[in-house]
Amino acid sequence: MCRHQDRYPMGIAMSDTQHRQDMRLIKELGANFIRISHYPQDDAVLEMCDRLGLIAWEEIPVIDYVPLSDIYAENAATMLKDMIRWHRNHPSIAMWGYMNEILLKLPQNERSETIDRTLRLARRLEEILKSEDTTRMSAMAFHGNDIYDQCGLGDITRVKGWNLYHGWYGGELEGFEEFLARQHAAHPSAPIIVSEYGAGSDLRLHSLDPEPFDFSVEYQQKFLEHYIPVIELTDYVAGASHWNFIDFSSANRKESMPGINNKGLVTNDRRKKDVYYYFKAAWSNPDCDTVAHIAARDWPARTELSDSLGCVTRQIKAYTNLPEIAMRVNGGDLRLSQVSNYFAMFDVVLRDGDNTLEIFAPEDTVRPLDTFTVSLSVIPVRKGRIDLSTEELAVNVGSKCYFSSGYDGLVWLPDKQYSEGSLYGHGGGDPGTTQEIIGLTTDTPLLQSRLTGIDEYRFDVVDGDYEVEMLFADNAAPSSSSAYLLGHVDGNSGGEPAVGMDMMINGVKVEEGFAPALRSGLMSMVRLRHLAKVEGSCGLKISFLPVKGCVTSLSAIKVRKIGN
């Protein structure tokens, strides 16, 4: 488990007690190895590693790039000596590390000079390490690029760690095991440690069809449920450390949670995500510690459209180290499910209001192992028409994700293309995203997705008077590049036409020459509200017409019924 020293609201200024709490949480999920990344941390960390039996990899912060600076090299050498001399008497330390992804920011115009400089420093640090401590191994962590082997860096340390993110920043999930197999074939006698792996999750984002880099809770689970079996079942993988134990502050991150790297198993304020219990189920002995967790805490409040029955069927997951487990919903009949890869799936009928879920061991159906309540808010559909008499319907346009606003708790439903019987959806447009920060909103993911070139949005609502609210952001500005995105492209390369359009609702023009950037600037939210009347069961049709030289775009739309 990799661990940064960071906690809300004090940042890195954590107390000793808080450090010890972290180590206990890491031990609780079943881990036996910690990569103290990317710098020596408080003495309380190693103290707890010694007490709890956690094997430690400690390292100095030589990261991304070796500059042309003698002072830099001298400082790196001094840090390594000091770290070893200060901490060599901790029995938990198994290896000393001194470089992380050191060719990540390799300048192409100084490629060979930078590599030579890096090799010289690595060899110097390796000599220092061996002279200071002959009993422990040396280690470096590389990002998933063959250049480390090609230039010779991979031959310097005893332990070679790989930071691998196949299926997150790019590629397919299966690329993970394929990369490991290639490494083993090329270096059959070398131990491999997966020094980082992980995917981000924003607890506000959920998807029934999760995709890479959508930051949904469900994709993080899918990612890790693929990686863990590969790590556990591949005998030439000596160890692995998940990135990261916590969601941590990262100033250059501009994703769904600006300034936060959200790959953690716990949030920055130390709330356990559901996927924490996947690790605990995989790494705990069921004879000593039964793990059974209903994986619905990350999505406790939901909104769905439903017919007059007022119910929807959704899959609910339970993490467990038992071979099979049973679930009861709202006091009904027990349903037994076989467990595979430490989880079981149940098709659950959720009704409007609170739904009580209980899971049981098959041999004891009286005492539940875990209980949780999921709240469902149903937007009724009557005779093929959405009835918004008591609810409002909000849509996360251009995204397959549900979004639960941290501002007001409103749930925005995933977008879809309109067709007969679909009840709502868009006509035309290409989905896009940006990883830039959007100004004038705290609901960042809602404005980071969009449909560009959209022609219309339709809602099959009952007759009545409505307020239509639309959210826009002109994202035509090019996204800033970050080496930490490891080549991920967000589909916003810059040079796109500005957003400018006329708008009509049910044939009535409501906006002429609307340009979000003229209202609030680029990369900032604009909110429009308009009133509309629906008669003759025609529903709502919002039309978007580009003005000359511009494109249409929409990020979110909300409809509510006003009056009786």
Side-chain angles (χ1 to χ4, degrees):
M1 191 63 57
C2 297
R3 188 259 189 181
H4 262 307
Q5 181 172 289
D6 184 39
R7 182 165 177 164
Y8 179 83
M10 64 282 300
I12 63 171
M14 296 172 60
S15 70
D16 286 359
T17 297
Q18 290 171 327
H19 287 295
R20 296 183 186 110
Q21 289 170 348
D22 276 3
M23 295 304 104
R24 291 189 183 97
L25 284 171
I26 290 172
K27 183 68 174 181
E28 178 190 330
L29 63 75
N32 60 8
F33 170 56
I34 179 171
R35 182 180 172 207
I36 302 172
S37 47
H38 292 301
Y39 43 85
Q41 296 177 16
D42 192 278
D43 287 344
V45 173
L46 283 174
E47 173 199 331
M48 290 303 291
C49 288
D50 295 343
R51 288 176 177 271
L52 297 173
L54 291 169
I55 301 168
W57 161 341
E58 189 177 34
E59 62 192 45
I60 58 172
V62 178
I63 300 169
D64 300 344
Y65 171 72
V66 174
L68 181 59
S69 167
D70 291 339
I71 295 175
Y72 182 93
E74 288 300 321
N75 191 42
T78 299
M79 286 193 298
L80 183 61
K81 290 177 186 176
D82 287 348
M83 179 178 70
I84 295 172
R85 292 174 184 179
W86 290 342
H87 293 156
R88 64 185 304 155
N89 290 325
H90 284 282
S92 56
I93 294 177
M95 61 196 82
W96 306 109
Y98 54 75
M99 284 184 177
N100 178 74
E101 297 181 346
I102 201 62
L103 300 179
L104 182 64
K105 298 182 179 179
L106 184 63
Q108 293 306 306
N109 60 340
E110 299 177 0
R111 183 183 176 90
S112 50
E113 299 97 317
T114 303
I115 289 175
D116 289 344
R117 187 165 65 244
T118 303
L119 285 167
R120 288 196 300 272
L121 179 58
R123 291 176 181 131
R124 179 182 176 186
L125 295 177
E126 183 72 10
E127 289 178 5
I128 291 172
L129 191 153
K130 288 177 179 176
S131 67
E132 292 288 331
D133 188 347
T134 61
T135 65
R136 292 181 174 96
M137 293 180 286
S138 58
M140 274 194 273
F142 306 141
H143 73 287
N145 193 306
D146 293 333
I147 191 172
Y148 294 97
D149 287 331
Q150 294 166 358
C151 75
L153 268 175
D155 299 325
I156 294 176
T157 54
R158 290 281 305 280
V159 175
K160 184 162 52 175
W162 287 104
N163 300 347
L164 302 177
Y165 294 92
H166 299 87
W168 180 241
Y169 293 112
E172 303 296 327
L173 288 169
E174 293 75 18
F176 175 56
E177 53 264 40
E178 292 167 2
F179 183 93
L180 294 175
R182 289 196 303 272
Q183 272 295 308
H184 181 62
H187 311 281
S189 61
I192 294 175
I193 287 182
V194 183
S195 39
E196 292 181 21
Y197 63 98
S201 71
D202 183 329
L203 297 184
R204 299 171 297 175
L205 289 167
H206 298 276
S207 180
L208 304 179
D209 184 21
E211 298 177 330
F213 225 70
D214 66 4
F215 291 92
S216 69
V217 166
E218 290 70 28
Y219 189 79
Q220 185 189 40
Q221 293 175 2
K222 178 179 179 179
F223 180 99
L224 294 173
E225 288 161 7
H226 179 89
Y227 270 58
I228 289 296
V230 173
I231 291 167
E232 295 292 323
L233 299 175
T234 304
D235 56 7
Y236 52 80
V237 174
S241 50
H242 173 261
W243 186 265
N244 194 280
F245 173 58
I246 57 167
D247 293 349
F248 63 91
S249 301
S250 180
N252 70 328
R253 291 278 171 180
K254 299 178 181 180
E255 298 153 357
S256 73
M257 298 167 64
I260 298 292
N261 186 319
N262 54 18
K263 297 184 181 72
L265 304 183
V266 301
T267 61
N268 196 261
D269 59 1
R270 299 322 191 255
R271 177 196 153 188
K272 298 172 185 174
K273 299 180 184 180
D274 283 326
V275 78
Y276 174 97
Y277 292 91
Y278 173 61
F279 283 77
K280 187 172 182 179
W283 293 348
S284 298
N285 184 342
D287 294 332
C288 304
D289 184 11
T290 298
V291 178
H293 176 82
I294 299 169
R297 268 81 169 177
D298 293 344
W299 197 0
R302 310 180 183 208
T303 297
E304 299 282 1
L305 294 172
S306 179
D307 59 20
S308 58
L309 296 177
C311 297
V312 295
T313 300
R314 289 290 179 259
Q315 284 198 320
I316 301 291
K317 180 185 296 180
Y319 287 124
T320 182
N321 53 4
L322 298 175
E324 54 185 8
I325 199 162
M327 177 177 283
R328 175 179 287 135
V329 181
N330 293 326
D333 295 335
L334 279 170
R335 296 184 59 189
L336 187 67
S337 179
Q338 298 297 309
V339 174
S340 177
N341 191 18
Y342 305 104
F343 66 88
M345 300 295 292
F346 296 89
D347 290 325
V348 173
V349 177
L350 299 173
R351 66 193 182 195
D352 194 16
D354 289 343
N355 296 266
T356 302
L357 313 179
E358 300 171 292
I359 53 175
F360 301 83
E363 64 273 13
D364 183 357
T365 59
V366 175
R367 293 173 297 177
L369 298 171
D370 190 28
T371 301
F372 188 69
T373 298
V374 173
S375 175
L376 176 66
S377 179
V378 168
I379 299 174
V381 177
R382 309 185 196 284
K383 298 181 179 180
R385 295 283 163 180
I386 304 168
D387 184 352
L388 296 178
S389 298
T390 59
E391 301 286 347
E392 51 191 355
L393 174 56
V395 182
N396 185 9
V397 177
S399 174
K400 294 182 179 180
C401 288
Y402 296 79
F403 175 75
S404 299
S405 173
Y407 175 68
D408 55 18
L410 181 66
V411 177
W412 299 72
L413 303 187
D415 193 15
K416 59 184 175 180
Q417 186 167 342
Y418 182 83
S419 61
E420 190 68 30
S422 66
L423 299 176
Y424 74 91
H426 66 265
D430 297 314
T433 60
T434 179
Q435 299 307 318
E436 290 297 305
I437 297 173
I438 306 298
L440 305 179
T441 181
T442 57
D443 288 340
T444 303
L446 200 58
L447 277 297
Q448 287 179 325
S449 62
R450 65 191 183 279
L451 272 180
T452 301
I454 182 173
D455 298 320
E456 63 182 26
Y457 217 96
R458 299 184 64 172
F459 296 90
D460 294 341
V461 293
V462 300
D463 289 356
D465 295 317
Y466 290 88
E467 178 188 75
V468 179
E469 179 177 312
M470 294 169 282
L471 304 183
F472 306 85
D474 192 334
N475 300 337
S479 298
S480 59
S481 176
S482 170
Y484 301 111
L485 295 181
L486 299 177
H488 173 77
V489 177
D490 69 8
N492 196 39
S493 58
E496 300 174 5
V499 175
M501 67 194 105
D502 299 336
M503 282 180 272
M504 298 195 304
I505 300 179
N506 287 355
V508 177
K509 183 175 283 189
V510 295
E511 291 285 341
E512 185 171 1
F514 168 68
L518 295 181
R519 299 280 184 97
S520 64
L522 291 169
M523 298 292 178
S524 291
M525 186 193 76
V526 177
R527 186 192 313 269
L528 294 182
R529 291 191 181 100
H530 289 286
L531 301 180
K533 181 178 286 292
V534 175
E535 298 176 309
S537 299
C538 67
L540 275 170
K541 179 181 177 182
I542 302 94
S543 302
F544 304 89
L545 304 141
V547 299
K548 186 176 180 180
C550 297
V551 296
T552 61
S553 181
L554 179 66
S555 286
I557 188 166
K558 181 175 69 172
V559 176
R560 72 181 184 93
K561 197 169 186 288
I562 55 179
N564 295 323

